[in-house]
């Protein structure tokens, strides 16, 4: 019986262990997953070869089983005294996600139960002792509660993880009973039979020693579904008529080691999805080399590189969008630079103003967009200079006054974001005044995270970074 179970476990272990060594990092083949790819050689579809974490491991451990629910128990306040058995397990573990895995586990052990240890002689004619040798194979689901509940953007490393286990399998055993007359085999169950099915569930606490080894303490509860596992004999025997239990169950407390397989630095069950981004940001921050941008230059000097400029001949001084196209706020075919009535549509022949009016044209609202900021920063970026210079010309040519409105994304507290947005608005106001705008035309206002350009970015983790960046902005609003 033991030999047959060992052969089955070995046959299942060999292909999984060999497969665990095949993970490697793929090199991009020049095909990119979508239209918006930057063309980086690091962009590649996610495959088994391109993964950057290990997801296989082998675990082994030893423990102490205690018969808890049976006619003969291992616990003193039950039908017996404190008797400790022994157990051992080995498993092959596959992580499916960072929070869920599947384990193929082999258990072997011996429980001891009753009023005396079967290694000793029976103390009197009424005393009954028993022991049960068992072998089991099971499939266990593994839930990593620590990873399941962990914030993705948590920078602090963690070395402890709480796991939950549950699964079913087949158990084979020999149950021996001993009394004053001697010891005899009461029940023998072969593996892979209907009556040999069992289930177990429990929890484990893992400690990460290093990238290769984890230590884990587990407490499992094994439900045999069998009234004869404890060595009490058939269900109508004198011993088994003492209690009404129909399932002999036991606790199994174990201490074991997990050996993580693979060539990568981290295992999926410990993997921080953003750890590579943190690393690359640190590398870029420490690099002291000039990064070449705008290789083709900016021929029309509109602040948008020719590499992605859709209008390479933008007139000097015209405000542009992110693609380098001159803005036409009222969509009348006259760009704002030449439009005498920026917010009121009119024909080209009349410089963008209506040909018939009942009075003076009033621009009820004027917004100048596009001044964005880095995260947690109020520094005006060089890319904002053309927009701000256009704003200087525009405001100076206008008779109105303007609010310089600062805003943030949703990261940080409300109070902090309020102050950050005020600093951004005041910095832009100071820039405009230094470049010739009358201070009386400007009023700095900080709205914090209450004025999102993309309100769906609450929280910030729900949106791509370009939307969060668009929320970190300053714009002008006619008063």
């Amino acid at each position: 019986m033991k030999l047959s179970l060992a052969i089955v476990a070995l046959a299942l272990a060999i292909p999984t262990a060999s497969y665990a060594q095949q993970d490697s990092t793929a090199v991009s083949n020049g095909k990119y997953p979508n239209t918006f790819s930057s063309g980086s050689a690091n962009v590649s579809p996610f495959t088994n070869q391109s993964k950057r974490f290990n997801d296989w491991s082998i675990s082994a451990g030893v423990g102490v089983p205690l018969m808890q629910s049976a006619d003969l128990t291992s616990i003193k306040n039950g039908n017996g005294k404190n008797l400790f058995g022994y157990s051992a397990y080995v498993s092959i573990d596959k992580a499916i996600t960072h929070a869920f895995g599947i384990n193929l586990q082999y258990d072997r052990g011996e429980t001891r139960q009753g009023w005396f240890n079967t290694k000793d002689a029976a103390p009197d004619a009424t005393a009954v002792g028993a022991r049960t040798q068992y072998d089991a194979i099971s499939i266990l689901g593994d839930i990593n509660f620590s990873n399941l509940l962990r914030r993705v953007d948590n920078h602090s490393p963690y070395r402890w993880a709480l796991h939950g286990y549950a699964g079913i399998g087949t158990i084979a055993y020999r149950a021996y009973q001993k009394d004053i007359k001697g010891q005899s085999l009461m029940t023998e169950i072969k593996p892979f039979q209907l009556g040999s099915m069992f289930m177990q569930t429990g929890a484990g606490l893992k400690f990460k020693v290093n990238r290769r080894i984890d230590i884990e303490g587990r407490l499992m509860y094994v439900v045999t579904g069998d009234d004869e596992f404890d060595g009490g004999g058939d269900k109508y025997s004198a011993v088994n008529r003492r209690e009404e239990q129909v399932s002999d169950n036991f606790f199994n407390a174990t201490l074991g080691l997990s050996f993580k397989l693979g060539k990568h630095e981290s295992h999926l069950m410990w993997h921080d999805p953003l750890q590579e981004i943190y690393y690359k940001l640190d590398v870029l921050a420490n690099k002291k080399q000039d990064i070449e941008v705008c290789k083709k230059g900016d021929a029309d000097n509109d602040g948008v590189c020719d590499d992605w400029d859709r209008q390479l001949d933008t007139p000097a001084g015209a405000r542009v969008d992110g693609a380098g196209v001159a803005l036409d706020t009222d969509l009348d075919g006259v760009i704002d630079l030449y439009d005498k009535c920026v917010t009121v549509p009119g024909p080209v022949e009349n410089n963008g103003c209506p040909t018939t009016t009942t009075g003076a044209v009033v621009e009820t609202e004027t917004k100048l967009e596009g001044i964005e900021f880095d995260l947690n920063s109020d520094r005006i970026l060089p890319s904002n200079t053309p927009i701000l210079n256009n704003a200087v010309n525009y405001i100076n040519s206008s008779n109105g006054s303007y609010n310089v409105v600062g805003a943030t994304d949703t990261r940080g507290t409300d109070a902090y974001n309020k102050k950050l947005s005020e600093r951004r608005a005041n910095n832009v106001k100071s820039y405009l005044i230094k470049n010739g705008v009358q201070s009386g035309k400007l009023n700095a206002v900080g709205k914090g995270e209450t004025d999102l350009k993309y309100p769906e970015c609450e929280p910030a983790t729900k949106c791509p970074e370009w939307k969060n960046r668009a929320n970190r902005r300053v714009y002008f609003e006619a008063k």
Side-chain angles (χ1 to χ4, degrees):
M1 174 187 67
K2 297 175 184 176
L3 181 61
S4 63
L5 284 174
I7 292 173
V8 171
L10 183 61
L12 291 171
I14 290 176
T16 51
S18 61
Y19 178 73
Q21 304 301 320
Q22 295 175 0
D23 55 336
S24 61
T25 303
V27 178
S28 174
N29 59 6
K31 296 180 180 179
Y32 306 109
N34 57 59
T35 307
F36 304 100
S37 169
S38 64
S40 168
N42 293 324
V43 177
S44 61
F46 180 78
T47 64
N48 188 60
Q49 286 71 35
S50 66
K51 65 186 179 184
R52 298 184 182 275
F53 47 77
N54 305 318
D55 51 9
W56 289 92
S57 60
I58 296 176
S59 302
V62 296
V64 177
L66 291 171
M67 190 69 67
Q68 175 266 338
S69 175
D71 299 286
L72 296 174
T73 68
S74 308
I75 303 172
K76 188 174 183 179
N77 60 358
N79 295 324
K81 60 185 299 186
N82 295 332
L83 297 174
F84 301 100
Y86 66 87
S87 67
Y89 73 89
V90 62
S91 68
I92 298 173
D93 314 325
K94 165 68 174 177
I96 307 300
T97 71
H98 73 295
F100 178 74
I102 295 179
N103 304 342
L104 174 64
Q105 181 166 305
Y106 169 70
D107 291 271
R108 184 178 184 183
E110 179 178 290
T111 63
R112 294 168 183 165
Q113 53 274 352
W115 283 269
F116 66 95
N117 194 321
T118 54
K119 292 182 178 181
D120 304 326
D124 54 59
T126 62
V128 178
R131 63 186 179 93
T132 304
Q133 297 174 336
Y134 65 88
D135 296 87
I137 294 179
S138 57
I139 297 289
L140 296 177
D142 176 3
I143 298 178
N144 185 341
F145 289 107
S146 296
N147 246 349
L148 187 65
L149 302 176
R150 183 182 186 225
R151 284 178 58 95
V152 172
D153 59 350
N154 183 0
H155 284 249
S156 59
Y158 71 112
R159 303 179 72 92
W160 296 91
L162 178 64
H163 288 246
Y165 301 96
I168 61 173
T170 179
I171 187 168
Y173 67 88
R174 290 189 179 94
Y176 298 89
Q177 186 183 114
K178 186 175 182 180
D179 54 20
I180 198 169
K181 298 178 182 178
Q183 179 175 277
S184 58
L185 175 63
M186 302 301 293
T187 307
E188 181 176 6
I189 296 293
K190 301 291 185 181
F192 305 108
Q193 296 179 355
L194 183 60
S196 70
M197 299 299 293
F198 81 106
M199 63 177 291
Q200 58 177 325
T201 184
L205 186 61
K206 277 191 176 182
F207 175 73
K208 180 181 178 181
V209 178
N210 54 43
R211 62 181 290 261
R212 287 296 181 194
I213 298 176
D214 296 338
I215 296 177
E216 181 180 23
R218 290 187 192 176
L219 181 62
M220 303 294 291
Y221 190 68
V222 180
V223 179
T224 67
D226 189 339
D227 194 25
E228 302 178 14
F229 184 86
D230 62 349
D234 65 74
K235 61 182 179 180
Y236 299 112
S237 67
V239 172
N240 275 343
R241 287 202 301 269
R242 296 180 179 182
E243 299 290 342
E244 297 180 355
Q245 291 96 337
V246 295
S247 176
D248 296 339
N249 309 326
F250 62 92
F251 287 105
N252 192 16
T254 61
L255 182 64
L257 296 175
S258 291
F259 302 91
K260 292 164 281 190
L261 308 176
K263 64 182 181 181
H264 299 297
E265 285 297 320
S266 64
H267 189 274
L268 180 54
M269 283 292 192
W270 296 100
H271 193 67
D272 179 358
L274 296 182
Q275 65 181 359
E276 290 187 37
I277 295 178
Y278 304 147
Y279 169 75
K280 290 177 181 177
L281 288 177
D282 291 340
V283 171
L284 290 175
N286 294 328
K287 272 191 175 181
K288 295 182 178 179
Q289 66 178 30
D290 294 332
I291 300 176
E292 185 180 2
V293 296
C294 225
K295 292 183 180 180
K296 296 181 180 179
D298 181 10
D300 52 10
N301 198 31
D302 62 355
V304 178
C305 295
D306 291 350
D307 303 71
W308 51 83
D309 196 332
R310 293 174 54 195
Q311 188 179 67
L312 296 174
D313 56 351
T314 305
R319 296 184 300 122
V320 298
D321 60 17
V325 178
L327 294 181
D328 179 10
T329 301
D330 53 13
L331 302 177
D332 59 1
V334 182
I335 65 174
D336 292 354
L337 179 66
Y338 303 133
D339 200 330
K340 299 300 183 183
C341 301
V342 176
T343 62
V344 181
V348 176
E349 299 80 19
N350 201 38
N351 296 320
C353 289
T355 54
T356 58
T357 62
T358 57
V361 175
V362 179
E363 297 186 18
T364 57
E365 182 181 17
T366 299
K367 290 187 178 180
L368 305 176
E369 302 272 1
I371 305 171
E372 298 176 352
F373 291 81
D374 287 336
L375 179 64
N376 195 27
S377 172
D378 57 9
R379 183 175 68 91
I380 295 176
L381 300 173
S383 59
N384 292 330
T385 303
I387 303 173
L388 292 173
N389 291 339
N390 290 337
V392 171
N393 297 331
Y394 186 89
I395 295 173
N396 281 338
S397 64
S398 170
N399 294 325
S401 58
Y402 296 84
N403 285 329
V404 183
V405 184
T408 69
D409 62 22
T410 57
R411 283 172 282 207
T413 64
D414 293 344
Y416 177 82
N417 286 335
K418 176 72 172 175
K419 293 180 180 178
L420 177 60
S421 65
E422 291 173 353
R423 295 202 307 271
R424 288 172 176 170
N426 282 313
N427 281 356
V428 172
K429 177 183 175 182
S430 298
Y431 180 94
L432 297 179
I433 293 174
K434 288 179 182 178
N435 286 272
V437 177
Q438 297 178 8
S439 60
K441 284 189 171 186
L442 302 174
N443 177 42
V445 178
K447 293 188 177 181
E449 61 182 71
T450 62
D451 186 18
L452 299 176
K453 185 174 182 178
Y454 294 99
E456 65 270 19
C457 298
E458 172 62 46
T461 53
K462 293 177 63 176
C463 285
E465 183 55 27
W466 69 267
K467 284 191 176 182
N468 290 317
R469 186 177 184 84
N471 284 332
R472 303 192 297 266
R473 72 199 193 283
V474 164
Y475 65 87
F476 304 91
E477 193 172 59
K479 291 199 289 185

